[in-house]
Amino acid sequence: MNRASAEVNLSAITDNLKLIKSKTDAQVLAVVKADAYGHGLIQIGKTATDAGADWLGTALLEEGIALRKSGIKIPIISWLTPLGEDFKTAIDLDLDLSISSVELLSEVIAAAKSIKKIPRVHIEVDTGMSRGGVGDDWQMFIDHLIKASKSNEINVVGIWSHFARADEPDEKMNKEQMAIFEDRLKSLATAGISPEFIHIANSAASLTNKGAHKNIIRWGIGLYGLSPDVNNLGDSKSLKLKPAMKLKAKLHLVK
């Protein structure tokens, strides 16, 4: 007999997805990284897709591959892809890949050439969170990117970044990050590269900063019915979110 269990309410996932779709004109990317935050990768991926998600997003490449192999057809992006990953399979399955360095760009291009396909890539820009993305070496990176794009070795379909403090709506860093992001967009346009998909808004920004919605928002913790920050944004109930998981265990002792 199970002493403990996690119960996932798929109806709550559906309701939380529909809630954010009612609040934005942008496409909604349902974040299902880390086994869908422990809720179950494939089942949550399919539930979100059925509920109207336009995209799915994973950190790990193998999760993106698993989603595609499960029969999901909508666009999938995987963004935590160090060197040496199975890029051939990912490209062959039409997964979008996040690029954050010249070295990664070169490896993805080489993998794509070996199977004679042009990879779809999103450029990750570090605008201040300092966790990932192209930072101080932007100019060197963009020189390589221009060359690859003009040679038709890649298809730059997106550019993205991540807020560090979007759960603090009045924090000045949010505006500073947006300014850097807009500057990177302008430099791409000057280089003749115009990505179709632009995304920076996480769950907190999706709820509080409509100016950051661009044309994709990434709906992560909100999909699972949790507030990005109880102190600054309120709890799930006040945000009209429905927590999707309950943890249950057998009672052992009461004192």
Side-chain angles (χ1 to χ4, degrees), residues 45-113:
K46 289 184 175 181
T47 298
T49 300
D50 291 343
D54 302 287
W55 293 71
L56 296 179
T58 71
L60 303 183
L61 194 59
E62 55 263 36
E63 290 193 319
I65 291 171
L67 286 166
R68 184 66 84 219
K69 287 185 174 180
S70 76
I72 291 173
K73 304 296 185 184
I74 66 173
I76 299 170
I77 177 174
S78 297
W79 52 72
L80 187 59
T81 52
L83 299 176
E85 297 282 283
D86 187 5
F87 295 117
K88 290 182 183 179
T89 298
I91 295 165
D92 191 49
L93 292 173
D94 296 317
L95 296 185
D96 285 21
L97 299 172
S98 175
I99 303 294
S100 55
S101 70
V102 170
E103 293 79 8
L104 183 57
L105 176 65
S106 298
E107 189 164 312
V108 167
I109 289 172
K113 285 181 177 179

Side-chain angles (χ1 to χ4, degrees), residues 125 127 138-139 142 159 176-190 214:
V125 179
T127 55
W138 174 255
Q139 191 54 56
I142 201 171
I159 180 172
E176 292 170 353
Q177 285 192 257
M178 278 301 304
I180 294 171
F181 191 57
E182 297 287 355
D183 181 70
R184 295 295 185 259
L185 276 169
K186 288 178 182 177
S187 63
L188 282 182
T190 299
K214 304 306 179 181

Side-chain angles (χ1 to χ4, degrees), residues 102-103 105-106 109 138-150 153-154:
V102 170
E103 293 79 8
L105 176 65
S106 298
I109 289 172
W138 174 255
Q139 191 54 56
M140 180 186 71
F141 176 83
I142 201 171
D143 290 342
H144 285 81
L145 187 69
I146 293 168
K147 182 180 178 181
S149 181
K150 287 184 177 179
E153 294 175 317
I154 56 168

